[in-house]
Amino acid sequence: MSIKADVNLDCKGLACPMPIVKTKKAMNDVEDGQILEVQATDKGSIADLKAWSESVGHQYLGTKEEDGVLLHYIRKSGDDLDSEKKFENTITNEEIIDRATNGGIILDVREEAEYAFGHIEGSKSIPMGELEGRLDELDKDQEIYVICRTGTRSDLAAQKLAEKGFTKVVNVLPGMSSWNGDLAKKI
């Protein structure tokens, strides 16, 4: 079954955060109520685009896959809802190790493959797309330092955790793309 979209956006071959960056820009040319189809090959785009859509008030309709291409459908909401929320409680990459050694946990929300090829020793991997289903693995009384590659997914994950009653949540910026410390691998 073919799904009609008003605007098509090609994000094939792009990795996080580019599908979100291109989608944000494309939404400026989409009319309220219209449907944007985002074509992507990055599996992480499923959770990323859904979380981003919810964070700005757009309606994430769903995803279907055709020949290895993910087709995401997003309905644009009115301009009054178009201001993106940002999670306010943040720390820098440099602060994370000291803070986490005092009883906190580093939660890496990147995809499994990203985590496998380089992560902070002792961090816990829960990809963004699995977070809601794995909340029971986290302790609401423990400080949680959420990290991803650039701070985009971790921002969305931090918002999601706060919505679910986690009060000691911190977003780590700018994320693994600027990490200068040691990396562990799980290959």
Side-chain angles (χ1 to χ4, degrees):
M1 173 183 140
S2 178
I3 298 175
K4 181 190 173 303
D6 301 294
V7 179
N8 296 308
L9 177 64
D10 184 355
C11 293
K12 294 186 289 285
L14 300 177
C16 178
M18 292 313 297
I20 292 176
V21 171
K22 284 190 77 170
T23 300
K24 284 180 188 178
K25 187 173 182 190
M27 273 299 184
N28 293 330
D29 298 325
V30 176
E31 301 290 325
D32 291 352
Q34 286 189 322
I35 306 298
L36 172 67
E37 176 190 84
V38 181
Q39 305 157 1
T41 49
D42 178 20
K43 298 287 187 199
S45 67
I46 297 170
D48 296 347
L49 288 170
K50 182 177 189 299
W52 173 78
S53 297
E54 291 172 358
S55 78
V56 297
H58 298 310
Q59 183 181 3
Y60 184 82
L61 302 173
T63 302
K64 72 177 199 170
E65 187 170 349
E66 287 182 0
D67 302 320
V69 177
L70 299 166
L71 304 174
H72 304 278
Y73 296 92
I74 303 168
R75 181 182 172 276
K76 183 174 181 178
S77 66
D79 285 335
D80 57 324
L81 296 175
D82 208 19
S83 61
E84 186 171 3
K85 296 184 285 187
K86 288 282 186 195
F87 195 74
E88 292 181 19
N89 195 8
T90 64
I91 62 170
T92 65
N93 283 4
E94 293 74 27
E95 297 173 274
I96 189 173
I97 297 298
D98 289 337
R99 296 273 297 269
T101 55
N102 291 326
I105 181 174
I106 300 170
L107 176 63
D108 192 321
V109 295
R110 296 175 301 151
E111 293 302 307
E112 193 175 291
E114 293 174 281
Y115 183 83
F117 283 97
H119 58 273
I120 299 170
E121 184 71 45
S123 62
K124 179 171 186 63
S125 173
I126 301 181
M128 177 69 185
E130 299 174 18
L131 183 60
E132 197 150 0
R134 295 176 61 187
L135 292 174
D136 61 335
E137 295 177 33
L138 301 170
D139 182 350
K140 286 188 177 184
D141 296 322
Q142 188 175 35
E143 285 201 330
I144 301 172
Y145 303 99
V146 189
I147 194 165
C148 70
R149 192 173 79 80
T150 62
T152 303
R153 284 176 282 183
S154 56
D155 183 86
L156 298 170
Q159 289 180 47
K160 179 69 69 185
L161 289 169
E163 288 168 11
K164 298 296 180 180
F166 289 82
T167 57
K168 298 177 179 179
V169 180
V170 181
N171 185 22
V172 181
L173 298 174
M176 295 301 292
S177 62
S178 298
W179 181 254
N180 294 322
D182 293 336
L183 289 177
K185 295 187 179 194
K186 208 173 205 176
I187 318 173

